[in-house]
């Protein structure tokens, strides 16, 4: 049974983009993760800046609030487009959501540790540290999502 085409599959049929369709089909999951991971990165950096720099919230609390917003964004984009992992029941959805937040909570602890050491203790530039921490977190989140949360049964 042929899988229904999503918006990205349809975009790849456009005249200019169709040249890249073999590459896209071979690497769709990782390309979409990079795309949505990039958007999640922007959500995270922007909300962190808003809460920490503009509203003068403590960097660790600003990161937690930013994390909640970013994880909600990432959950829905990952389950719908990146890993195409729909659920059939409310229970399955809640289990998937719980696993996603649990996996992301593990990387939140790592990120909070990085921010604590480099911003709070060593007084380094908060936005630079946040950006570097996000790179580490994005890689770890992909591994957790691929191997635990949205793994194929």
């Amino acid at each position: 049974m042929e899988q229904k085409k999503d918006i990205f599959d349809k975009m790849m049929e456009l005249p200019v983009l169709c040249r890249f369709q073999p590459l896209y089909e071979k690497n769709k999951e990782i390309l979409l993760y990079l795309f949505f991971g990039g958007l999640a990165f922007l959500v995270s950096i922007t909300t962190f800046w808003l809460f920490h720099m503009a509203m003068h919230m403590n960097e660790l609390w600003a990161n937690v609030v930013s994390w909640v917003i970013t994880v909600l964004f990432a959950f829905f984009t990952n389950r719908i487009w990146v890993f195409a992992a729909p659920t059939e029941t409310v229970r399955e959805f809640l289990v998937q959501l719980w696993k996603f937040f649990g996996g992301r909570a593990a990387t939140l602890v790592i990120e909070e540790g990085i921010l604590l050491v480099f911003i709070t203790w060593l007084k380094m530039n908060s936005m630079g540290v946040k950006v570097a921490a996000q790179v580490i977190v994005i890689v770890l989140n992909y591994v957790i999502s691929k191997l635990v949360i949205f793994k194929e049964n």
Side-chain angles (χ1 to χ4, degrees):
M1 181 174 172
E2 189 174 321
Q3 191 172 4
K4 185 179 174 187
K5 292 182 179 185
D6 62 30
I7 188 169
F8 299 100
D9 296 334
K10 292 175 184 173
M11 284 174 46
M12 291 308 295
E13 293 174 353
L14 294 172
V16 174
L17 296 177
C18 68
R19 297 176 192 178
F20 302 102
Q21 197 159 11
L23 174 71
Y24 168 76
E25 288 175 2
K26 183 179 178 187
N27 301 292
K28 179 179 178 179
E29 183 180 284
I30 192 75
L31 291 171
L32 289 177
Y33 186 80
L34 289 171
F35 175 74
F36 285 111
L39 291 178
F41 172 84
L42 291 175
V43 168
S44 180
I45 295 299
T46 302
T47 55
F48 178 78
W49 178 88
L50 176 69
F51 295 117
H52 177 55
M53 303 301 283
M55 298 174 71
H56 307 288
M57 186 182 285
N58 170 278
E59 62 272 2
L60 299 178
W61 285 110
N63 191 56
V64 170
V65 175
S66 171
W67 176 84
V68 171
I69 294 166
T70 304
V71 170
L72 284 170
F73 171 81
F75 173 70
F76 287 104
T77 58
N78 277 236
R79 78 180 295 272
I80 293 168
W81 289 296
V82 177
F83 298 105
T87 52
E88 294 184 18
T89 67
V90 172
R91 184 183 186 291
E92 286 177 355
F93 173 81
L94 292 174
V95 166
Q96 191 179 68
L97 181 66
W98 178 254
K99 284 181 178 179
F100 193 83
F101 267 81
R104 292 305 199 264
T107 58
L108 172 65
V109 170
I110 293 167
E111 185 175 20
E112 285 284 284
I114 292 168
L115 299 185
L116 176 68
V117 170
F118 293 99
I119 299 172
T120 307
W121 293 347
L122 298 178
K123 306 294 185 210
M124 294 177 75
N125 177 280
S126 60
M127 293 308 297
V129 172
K130 173 68 175 174
V131 168
Q134 276 296 288
V135 172
I136 295 166
V137 165
I138 286 170
V139 172
L140 292 173
N141 284 340
Y142 177 77
V143 172
I144 291 167
S145 292
K146 178 72 175 164
L147 299 179
V148 179
I149 301 158
F150 299 114
K151 69 179 179 181
E152 295 177 16
N153 296 327

